[in-house]
Amino acid sequence: MRQIKAYRRFALSGTPIENSIGELWSIFQVILPGQMPAQKEFRQMAHEKIASLTKPFILRRLKGDVLKELPEKIETVSVSELTKEQKDLYVGYLRKLQQETALSLKENSFQENRMKILAGLTRLRQICCHPSLFIENYEGDSGKLSQLMETVQTAMDNGKRMLIFSQFTSMHEIIASKLQEAGIEYFYLHGQTPSKERVEMSERFNQGEKPVFLISLKAGGTGLNLTGADTVILYDLWWNPAVEDQATGRAHRFGQKNVVQVIRMITDGTIEEKIFELQQKKRALIDKVIQPGETMLSSLSEEDIRELLRI
């Protein structure tokens, strides 16, 4: 992109910082080449310093600034407990992963074993969701699944219509079987669902057919208008809060007439709590560096100019 010759350049993004501060540097390399220091130096700079450097060139609009008539979005955390069987499995896998990771760090082979460690973290998350996601013949229950079914039933008793997001398609299949047992009708959209069917299902849902929509987090994170829902349940957390925000945006968007409730399901005393903490840190970073409000070049102070030109 930097090879393109252009007199004016603009960058438009809903997620200028999705995973790391380096992504903001990349955007500035396209729109203002040479304005920022070298990438390594940029990454090591204090976030306040980065904010002051980039502030004059960023215009951030929050959803609430643009869509004044948009109803409120209420976010809550629903904490569930592991069952005894789940806890035994979780503790066993956690100890194994801790030993392997400690060995990798001791031998300086962390990068070599990075994928293996990440796979281990995924296993821990799957145990929180439902151990049968990777353990064959698991006969036990899942504390989180039981809590989900209670939440769904309560929501339906109150006339709510909901989207249930998960990143594991096999988890959706387990949820689907539970919904069938309870006699609850649902739509199900995943990565393999053809585009035409996605649109058709979305329209039918918005028209009031069936109260539940199961959606794969990545497949349904963008491009869908599901304002027929007023409750969004995130069954398992994604590392990246921006992906979750895009998912909740399927319901909390232009055309929504009701208050939208977002429920994040977290298992007590597990890796899910740590992921949630990481998410909060990422959100704080984005808010610190990319501040809302309008900053025009005409409002630059002498100090701003000195800083920008490094005088």
Side-chain angles (χ1 to χ4, degrees):
M1 287 173 66
R2 285 157 62 184
Q3 303 301 315
I4 297 171
K5 287 182 168 54
Y7 183 64
R8 287 193 179 91
R9 299 181 187 206
F10 297 89
L12 179 66
S13 172
T15 51
I17 300 174
E18 198 166 349
N19 291 302
S20 74
I21 200 81
E23 293 166 348
L24 189 63
W25 183 88
S26 299
I27 293 171
F28 271 88
Q29 283 302 101
V30 174
I31 57 170
L32 286 168
Q35 177 67 31
M36 299 297 145
Q39 189 172 18
K40 188 177 179 183
E41 186 187 334
F42 184 82
R43 285 176 180 273
Q44 291 170 348
M45 285 168 68
H47 296 149
E48 291 82 359
K49 178 93 169 169
I50 292 172
S52 66
L53 269 181
T54 58
K55 190 179 177 184
F57 309 104
I58 293 177
L59 174 61
R60 184 183 183 190
R61 285 282 183 263
L62 301 175
K63 199 181 281 185
D65 300 331
V66 185
L67 300 172
K68 300 288 186 187
E69 71 284 5
L70 195 66
E72 193 182 358
K73 178 171 76 170
I74 300 169
E75 304 199 25
T76 56
V77 174
S78 173
V79 181
S80 59
E81 301 283 339
L82 293 170
T83 64
K84 187 185 181 304
E85 297 103 315
Q86 273 182 298
K87 191 171 279 188
D88 291 344
L89 283 167
Y90 187 90
V91 170
Y93 265 88
L94 178 62
R95 283 178 182 157
K96 181 171 176 277
L97 186 60
Q98 284 172 334
Q99 288 167 0
E100 289 174 356
T101 306
L103 190 64
S104 295
L105 293 170
K106 194 177 178 182
E107 296 174 353
N108 293 320
S109 60
F110 177 72
Q111 288 301 330
E112 291 169 31
N113 293 303
R114 187 183 175 86
M115 295 311 293
K116 190 179 176 184
I117 292 164
L118 287 173
L121 294 176
T122 300
R123 290 284 181 251
L124 291 177
R125 292 163 66 211
Q126 286 176 325
I127 291 171
C128 295
C129 291
H130 201 295
S132 63
L133 290 183
F134 73 98
I135 296 173
E136 285 185 44
N137 307 317
Y138 175 78
E139 299 294 334
D141 293 322
S142 160
K144 189 192 274 197
L145 182 60
S146 300
Q147 187 149 325
L148 172 73
M149 293 309 294
E150 285 176 24
T151 304
V152 168
Q153 197 60 62
T154 303
M156 285 182 62
D157 291 345
N158 288 294
K160 304 290 185 184
R161 304 185 71 244
M162 67 213 83
L163 312 178
I164 303 175
F165 284 95
S166 173
Q167 60 204 279
F168 305 114
T169 50
S170 44
M171 189 64 233
H172 267 142
E173 286 160 14
I174 294 169
I175 295 170
S177 66
K178 283 287 183 184
L179 291 173
Q180 284 169 5
E181 282 175 28
I184 298 169
E185 290 190 303
Y186 61 90
F187 288 109
Y188 177 30
L189 185 153
H190 51 82
Q192 306 307 311
T193 308
S195 300
K196 192 178 175 183
E197 273 185 48
R198 293 180 188 211
V199 175
E200 187 189 318
M201 279 194 283
S202 300
E203 287 173 353
R204 285 167 63 192
F205 178 80
N206 287 336
Q207 286 163 9
E209 187 184 331
K210 301 180 185 178
V212 177
F213 207 139
L214 302 179
I215 309 176
S216 161
L217 188 61
K218 293 295 273 184
T222 55
L224 291 175
N225 182 350
L226 294 167
T227 49
D230 51 22
T231 304
V232 179
I233 300 172
L234 298 165
Y235 187 79
D236 41 82
L237 303 185
W238 189 253
W239 294 105
N240 191 331
V243 174
E244 289 184 2
D245 290 342
Q246 286 172 343
T248 60
R250 300 313 93 219
H252 192 244
R253 59 190 297 140
F254 180 76
Q256 178 58 262
K257 299 288 186 281
N258 302 313
V259 171
V260 174
Q261 184 173 14
V262 177
I263 302 168
R264 284 182 171 79
M265 300 197 72
I266 295 176
T267 314
D268 187 38
T270 69
I271 187 175
E272 292 188 323
E273 288 186 331
K274 301 291 185 188
I275 294 173
F276 188 63
E277 284 172 22
L278 273 175
Q279 286 183 339
Q280 301 312 100
K281 284 179 185 173
K282 279 192 178 181
R283 287 184 199 281
L285 165 66
I286 293 165
D287 289 337
K288 199 174 189 179
V289 174
I290 304 176
Q291 297 152 5
E294 189 164 359
T295 311
M296 299 301 287
L297 285 167
S298 58
S299 65
L300 287 176
S301 66
E302 182 183 331
E303 191 181 334
D304 291 333
I305 297 288
R306 285 181 176 279
E307 184 57 46
L308 285 167
L309 300 175
R310 299 186 188 87
I311 297 170

